[in-house]
Amino acid sequence: MSYNMNGFGAVAAPTSRLLATLNARWEKMAKARGIAYSLASLATIEQALLLLHQSAHWQSSGPTYYADHLLFQRLYKPIDKEIDSLGERAVGLGDPRLVCPITVASLTGDLLRAWGKGHGLDVPRRLVEMSLAGERSLLEAIAAAMGQASPSDGVQNLLQGIADTHEGNVYLLQQRLVRGGR
């Protein structure tokens, strides 16, 4: 994955529509630097991923039940720490309102509905497809946020570490679709 950054680690605006949409919702609530909005938005995307992967973990069924059950557990376990790091940085660089649970819950619901559009969750494969869509959305939003992060505040390192983990998740989900059957 390539990241759009200039020599100073900043660009004018996020290139991800999802990130821009979430950032705009956060801007209505709090005043902060652009990267703080992006961190809050990424934490929100990760909250949606956590719910999605954990629910898929519980819903696993059929011939691929056990493998899917373990796959989704592997996907959701590290997300809580990532959310914590993103949320703490968003508050530190911005405003405590950037982690408002009511707004996070509302935005999380919006994301899950968008990722689930066209996905009947009655078949294990559909859960994998929805999770893959969510993971790809996160990576796109991270790439856009990387362009806003200053090299001196450690945010780029945080985002790169999260991106590395989720690039691995995309690989695992793609392999599951290719090899996992229905």
Side-chain angles (χ1 to χ4, degrees):
M1 171 164 293
S2 63
Y3 299 108
N4 180 20
M5 296 185 316
N6 64 25
F8 298 102
V11 293
T15 55
S16 162
R17 270 191 319 206
L18 174 61
L19 187 65
T21 301
L22 290 172
N23 286 359
R25 296 274 302 267
W26 284 115
E27 282 183 74
K28 291 178 183 179
M29 288 188 54
K31 296 294 178 205
R33 294 186 341 185
I35 191 62
Y37 296 126
S38 293
L39 295 172
S41 296
L42 292 170
T44 302
I45 296 167
E46 289 230 78
Q47 189 69 50
L49 275 176
L50 174 68
L51 290 171
L52 175 59
H53 294 332
Q54 193 167 42
S55 180
H57 166 77
W58 294 327
Q59 292 182 59
S60 296
S61 63
T64 59
Y65 158 75
Y66 191 65
D68 287 350
H69 186 75
L70 294 178
L71 169 64
F72 287 114
Q73 181 177 15
R74 178 178 177 169
L75 299 182
Y76 82 76
K77 285 282 188 181
I79 293 177
D80 195 43
K81 287 182 179 181
E82 294 170 354
I83 292 169
D84 187 55
S85 294
L86 291 166
E88 286 174 353
R89 292 278 175 99
V91 170
L93 294 171
D95 186 317
R97 291 175 286 186
L98 290 173
V99 292
C100 170
I102 294 167
T103 304
V104 170
S106 173
L107 294 173
T108 296
D110 293 346
L111 289 169
L112 291 169
R113 279 186 288 283
W115 295 336
K117 195 171 209 102
H119 292 278
L121 299 181
D122 55 337
V123 176
R125 181 179 182 83
R126 304 275 191 253
L127 292 168
V128 176
E129 291 169 348
M130 189 172 166
S131 287
L132 184 57
E135 289 285 347
R136 286 178 172 156
S137 293
L138 175 65
L139 288 172
E140 180 182 307
I142 288 172
M146 286 288 289
Q148 298 176 312
S150 167
S152 63
D153 62 13
V155 173
Q156 286 184 354
N157 289 340
L158 171 64
L159 296 178
Q160 186 61 56
I162 293 170
D164 288 346
T165 298
H166 292 274
E167 287 167 354
N169 292 353
V170 166
Y171 171 78
L172 292 172
L173 290 164
Q174 287 173 331
Q175 290 302 307
R176 165 53 179 87
L177 287 175
V178 170
R179 301 180 198 291
R182 41 176 237 144

